[in-house]
Amino acid sequence: MQGRIISCINQGNLVQILVETENGLESIPVDHRCFQHIAEVKGDIREKEIEYDEKNGSIFFEEDRTKEKC
């Protein structure tokens, strides 16, 4: 799945990353600790273009193609 992050919703142990794709809105559930790591490395991730590999749970940021695996 490819798209642009539009929002992140903290749900306690999980963070839902909402992504605008060509098929509409999709949600990526991410463990809170993993999300904290991504935020520390990337800063504010809203509006960033990503590719999400559902098979292995990897998020690729298009700006630098850095893989953050959860």
Side-chain angles (χ1 to χ4, degrees):
M1 162 183 45
Q2 290 183 321
R4 180 177 56 90
I5 297 174
I6 59 169
S7 183
C8 301
I9 302 168
N10 185 346
Q11 297 180 321
N13 291 333
L14 282 178
V15 175
Q16 294 291 334
I17 300 176
L18 298 178
V19 180
E20 182 178 39
T21 70
E22 62 184 25
N23 298 325
L25 289 178
E26 303 224 14
S27 176
I28 303 170
V30 178
D31 178 79
H32 191 267
R33 290 173 292 177
C34 181
F35 179 80
Q36 281 183 310
H37 172 73
I38 293 170
E40 288 172 7
V41 172
K42 294 293 181 188
D44 187 1
I45 63 172
R46 286 175 293 177
E47 302 298 322
K48 294 193 184 235
E49 297 286 331
I50 64 162
E51 181 176 341
Y52 176 61
D53 183 342
E54 296 175 58
K55 192 175 197 178
N56 65 18
S58 294
I59 298 173
F60 299 91
F61 287 85
E62 294 296 333
E63 65 189 26
D64 58 6
R65 295 297 292 166
T66 299
K67 180 170 73 169
E68 300 293 338
K69 186 168 182 182
C70 297

